[in-house]
Amino acid sequence: MPKPLKEIISEKEFLDIFRKQTSEILKICSYLNKKSKQDFLYTKRFYGTITTQARILEDFLDDYGAKNNRTWIFFRELIASARYMGFSAYMIHHIRSRYTLYDLTDSENQLFQEQTVLTQNFLNSAIKNVFASIRSEALALGLEADHETLKEDDFLDIASNKMLPHNLDDGFSLKEEENVVKIATEYLNIMNDHEDFKIEHPYSIDEIESLIPEYISEEKLRRFQLRIHNLQSLYDTYIKDTKIETDNSTLNSMRGCISVALHLAEIATTLTHFYERHESELRHEVVRDKIESLIDKQTILNLIVNYSLFHCYSHLEKGNAFAKDFLKSYVVIGSVSIPIPIYMGFHVRPAT
């Protein structure tokens, strides 16, 4: 008789295996628990640690089918929630740390920066709530939550306002102008193809709920995100740190619009996945309600549409003006001579 592909183990056996996998997550729990009444550093390294460790543990839980087990499903959903909140906070921190480098400051961006701070504060609060619940659930499952803690020194970010001297002197070539035209053209195509993501005014929560997932879905956002990511990759491959970029600072501003839009699209995709997952995929209403008590659903909906997508498209529109200017400046106008057909001549419209 053939051996089954998967062997069923008891929850007690799984707990013994699982204990060895939780040390890093429980260190984060202990760290946040001890710092709960103090200010401490929320840095990119901290958010990155949350995202990485939660992803590793989520994969381990999925390997053992925890999402289909009544005892372990809530713990598994907590770990997944930590991952999504950590990743979104990482992207927010990245935007804030890089924004001044793009020379995009104006009155509209003042609103964006204020809302970005509020968004980060919400995500920080969500992270603390989720990890407090992870700690409580770990104790309920029989794990020891008071493990070795982490140190603030582990998460100190290195200052990024200093750069090495730019001393690679590449010569200018006409190919660079062709690349600018290619990238500017693709920029305009993305704007035209994804105009359905243009948010012109704030939407109410009821309106947003009617948009997701019929009009705004994780699937559609991933396609949108991929187009912007490819555009940024083209820029970084063919334009970044070239002489034409050095001579034209507006190119860097367009690159900034692409980068900010990309990270906001990533946040929108991540939060939409989080929302769709907990509204549609979870079969246990009790688990869904527990997650909603930790991370406010209405705020998530607001962040998807009125923050992420609204400011994503507004930054693309700002860069759209740059792209049109580059097409005017760098497009090469050519000419070709052709003979007039004998006896027939040309009709005006076909000739045009």
Side-chain angles (χ1 to χ4, degrees):
M1 185 175 179
K3 189 176 180 179
L5 296 176
K6 288 287 185 179
E7 180 183 350
I8 303 300
I9 63 172
S10 69
E11 292 178 355
K12 183 179 183 304
E13 288 177 290
F14 176 69
L15 181 61
D16 292 336
I17 299 170
F18 187 68
R19 281 195 177 98
K20 300 175 183 178
Q21 307 296 323
T22 59
S23 60
E24 295 304 317
I25 282 290
L26 293 179
K27 283 180 184 178
I28 299 172
C29 290
S30 181
Y31 178 69
L32 286 168
N33 183 53
K34 291 181 179 179
K35 297 289 182 179
S36 61
K37 295 181 180 179
Q38 304 174 35
D39 291 329
F40 73 102
L41 301 177
Y42 282 99
T43 64
K44 282 178 72 175
R45 288 169 67 90
F46 178 67
Y47 297 134
T49 299
I50 289 174
T51 306
T52 301
Q53 295 304 326
R55 175 63 183 270
I56 292 171
L57 192 54
E58 183 185 358
D59 287 346
F60 175 84
L61 287 162
D62 285 350
D63 288 342
Y64 280 84
K67 63 182 177 181
N68 297 313
N69 180 271
R70 190 176 303 169
T71 301
W72 286 93
I73 184 173
F74 180 48
F75 191 86
R76 191 264 185 191
E77 293 306 315
L78 286 171
I79 296 299
S81 298
R83 173 186 162 199
Y84 302 136
M85 297 304 108
F87 176 80
S88 299
Y90 181 94
M91 288 293 104
I92 289 290
H93 193 292
H94 182 75
I95 292 171
R96 292 186 66 190
S97 64
R98 294 290 184 89
Y99 203 80
T100 55
L101 301 177
Y102 298 135
D103 193 26
L104 297 174
T105 305
D106 59 27
S107 57
E108 290 182 13
N109 288 331
Q110 183 64 33
L111 172 63
F112 169 61
Q113 293 183 56
E114 290 172 358
Q115 291 183 349
T116 300
V117 172
L118 294 175
T119 300
Q120 187 170 15
N121 290 340
F122 167 77
L123 292 171
N124 289 344
S125 177
I127 287 169
K128 289 178 71 173
N129 291 342
V130 168
F131 273 94
S133 192
I134 289 174
R135 184 174 183 276
S136 297
E137 188 67 7
L139 288 170
L141 289 168
L143 296 168
E144 297 175 4
D146 289 324
H147 277 245
E148 176 187 352
T149 188
L150 300 169
K151 301 175 183 177
E152 289 183 9
D153 290 346
D154 296 332
F155 303 121
L156 289 176
D157 280 342
I158 299 172
S160 60
N161 60 345
K162 298 179 181 179
M163 300 186 75
L164 289 168
H166 185 174
N167 50 22
L168 275 178
D169 187 17
D170 294 331
F172 175 79
S173 70
L174 290 176
K175 190 71 175 176
E176 292 174 10
E177 292 187 351
E178 294 176 18
N179 290 331
V180 171
V181 171
K182 179 180 178 181
I183 290 166
T185 302
E186 175 60 12
Y187 197 119
L188 299 181
N189 288 337
I190 291 173
M191 294 291 293
N192 183 62
D193 295 344
H194 296 280
E195 200 170 9
D196 51 331
F197 285 132
K198 182 176 182 179
I199 308 297
E200 297 183 292
H201 59 81
Y203 282 77
S204 69
I205 298 302
D206 289 340
E207 288 174 323
I208 297 172
E209 286 184 318
S210 68
L211 293 175
I212 303 174
E214 185 174 355
Y215 299 102
I216 298 173
S217 66
E218 178 189 0
E219 180 186 359
K220 293 177 182 178
L221 284 169
R222 287 201 184 279
R223 289 199 294 267
F224 179 48
Q225 174 188 321
L226 181 60
R227 291 284 299 276
I228 304 174
H229 186 272
N230 288 341
L231 183 64
Q232 178 174 283
S233 295
L234 280 173
Y235 185 99
D236 290 348
T237 300
Y238 297 108
I239 303 298
K240 190 72 175 171
D241 298 327
T242 60
K243 190 174 188 302
I244 196 171
E245 185 189 52
T246 303
D247 293 344
N248 191 337
S249 61
T250 312
L251 277 166
N252 180 61
S253 295
M254 184 179 76
R255 167 60 168 73
C257 292
I258 296 170
S259 181
V260 173
L262 171 61
H263 298 318
L264 290 170
E266 289 173 325
I267 293 169
T269 304
T270 299
L271 296 181
T272 301
H273 172 79
F274 174 81
Y275 174 76
E276 287 186 26
R277 169 198 187 104
H278 288 89
E279 288 300 302
S280 303
E281 292 184 9
L282 282 184
R283 289 169 291 179
H284 296 275
E285 188 175 339
V286 173
V287 175
R288 183 184 63 200
D289 292 343
K290 286 182 178 179
I291 296 295
E292 287 183 11
S293 70
L294 301 172
I295 304 171
D296 183 64
K297 181 178 75 173
Q298 293 191 356
T299 304
I300 292 295
L301 289 171
N302 185 63
L303 291 183
I304 292 169
V305 173
N306 293 330
Y307 172 74
S308 300
L309 287 181
F310 176 81
H311 290 294
C312 172
Y313 208 89
S314 68
H315 279 85
L316 284 177
E317 286 186 317
K318 188 184 297 291
N320 194 44
F322 298 143
K324 288 179 178 178
D325 288 341
F326 293 139
L327 285 179
K328 293 176 184 177
S329 301
Y330 295 118
V331 70
V332 177
I333 300 175
S335 63
V336 61
S337 298
I338 58 173
I340 297 176
I342 299 174
Y343 307 122
M344 296 182 66
F346 273 130
H347 190 280
V348 174
R349 278 177 294 183
T352 302

